[in-house]
Amino acid sequence: MPRLHVGGVQPPLRFIPPMRRPWVRLLLRGLLPLLHRCQGVWRIEVAGGDDLARLFQAHQRGELRLLLAFRHPSTRDPLVLAWLFWCALPRQARRQGLRLPQPCHAQFLYDRGVPLWAGAAVGWLLSRLGGIPIQRGKLDRQALRLARDVAARGPFPLAIAPEGATNEHGDLIAPLEPGLAQIAFWTCDDLAAAGRDERVLIVPIGVRYELLRPSWPRIDELLLLLERQLGVAAPAAGDPAFPSPEARRYGRLQAVSTALLGAMEVFYRQAHGLVFDANAPFVDRLARLREAMLGLAEARFGLRPQGTLQERCRRIEQAGWERIYRSDGQQLSPVALGLADWTAAEASLCLEHMHLVEPFAAISGHYVAEAPTPDRYAEVLQILWRAVAWIEGRPGASPPSLGRSRARLQVQAPIEVTERYAAYRRDRRRSVEALTAQVRQGLEATLLQAGADGARG
């Protein structure tokens, strides 16, 4: 994620209303092959698309309300899903003799922070595609009202990433946020209030990326680059501590990860007086570092350290935005404005700590050891590379390419929400939790299926 450079107080964040323009979708559809290749995606495969095409048709006929829960491992996901909706599903429908009126499209929720770091042009594009921006660190009533209305009355299905953010791991799912389940039950509320009898369904969609031609030499080159950036000496080829090339490669990955962790511990000890135990296990040291980084920002903003790591990051982000994007800037005296600029600059620095937690949050210490595949090595090395680039002041730089990739989309069986509605009316919180857990199971099943397909392939 590129850095958010803030020189002082900024105007308040405005809501970006969805203003769908068909010509924007048509233009982007024509550019999809080029855009995919620019992101390294050269092949897209879909499993379960026939069933999804039938569900889209039923939604268009007014027979049901459809919500799509998609995995969000990468920033490449939006364009891959665009191909699914705009290209793959119409083809699947024609093969089955289904009439799927155009456009075949889905509206979607996206993080309000995206236009801040990706640029106003991206915000304009997302708006013209019908996207709904949401501030995840607070109760964004305007966004939720609009998402609820689209889910119950919109012409297209509503797509939501319940993980809330990317984690850059193909085989790990981050904790799910409850918003999707709540919107699904709100849709049941609205249908019941209107006397409508459509079913409400959630369809889990897995997204996974794999190298088409895995190259260990390219992976080793990226390892070497990280070793140079961190001042780590690679073990000799004949080192008895590493009896095989595989053991040597994993040892190098451990050395690079430990060196980056150690450098961060030194910085936070010298700059902020924090204490770390260099002799503790790697996983414990990593957890302590994450806690220290979040704790600094939370203390600065007066926030309590509670909830999941994701929830804490979102609250920190929202607190920072409230100090940067203010509606009273023009009403302040020159001295008050100068102090407000200081506050905004300090808030921006606190957000730097928070954003640096995110790549460290995805590193578990055992992900590669469990399955030392080229894809897992590639994912972890690129996470480390982005963290190093962020620290060096190159947050927008792209990591070296490790080769062309294919995207696997796995559509799971729909989850019935309507049949859970009576239980929801009795116990809303427990029903939302249970439905969120069911969605997670569906997304986990897509990983298992994609892994089995990859093994056969």
Side-chain angles (χ1 to χ4, degrees), residues 327-338:
S327 59
D328 61 348
Q330 295 182 343
Q331 303 168 13
L332 299 176
S333 67
V335 170
L337 181 59

Side-chain angles (χ1 to χ4, degrees), residues 2 28 35 53 90 94 123 139 190-191 223 228 236 245 283 311 347 432:
L28 193 60
L35 295 173
R94 287 194 296 270
L139 183 62
D190 294 343
L191 294 178
L223 261 172
R228 290 172 176 170
V283 174
E311 291 168 344
V432 168

Side-chain angles (χ1 to χ4, degrees), residues 327-359:
S327 59
D328 61 348
Q330 295 182 343
Q331 303 168 13
L332 299 176
S333 67
V335 170
L337 181 59
L339 293 174
D341 286 340
W342 281 14
T343 300
E346 290 180 359
S348 180
L349 184 58
C350 287
L351 294 183
E352 295 279 299
H353 295 295
M354 185 274 292
H355 285 305
L356 195 53
V357 167
E358 293 176 331

Side-chain angles (χ1 to χ4, degrees), residues 157-228:
L158 179 64
I160 299 175
E163 292 170 281
T166 62
N167 71 357
E168 304 299 334
H169 280 58
D171 296 318
L172 286 180
I173 297 178
L176 302 193
E177 298 176 353
L180 169 65
Q182 183 61 75
I183 289 174
F185 282 125
W186 283 341
T187 304
C188 293
D189 279 335
D190 294 343
L191 294 178
R196 295 162 54 188
D197 59 359
E198 296 105 304
R199 297 155 58 206
V200 179
L201 303 179
I202 297 175
V203 177
I205 302 176
V207 184
R208 192 170 186 267
Y209 300 90
E210 301 169 353
L211 294 170
L212 282 171
R213 294 182 179 179
S215 171
W216 287 116
R218 285 192 176 187
I219 290 172
D220 290 338
E221 288 175 6
L222 182 51
L223 261 172
L224 179 60
L225 178 59
L226 286 169
E227 287 168 340
R228 290 172 176 170

Side-chain angles (χ1 to χ4, degrees), residues 50-70:
D50 291 350
D51 294 335
L52 188 58
R54 288 192 289 271
L55 291 172
F56 261 69
Q57 183 190 55
H59 180 99
Q60 290 178 336
R61 288 177 172 176
E63 298 169 2
L64 54 82
R65 303 305 301 176
L66 191 59
L67 291 93
L68 309 173
F70 64 92

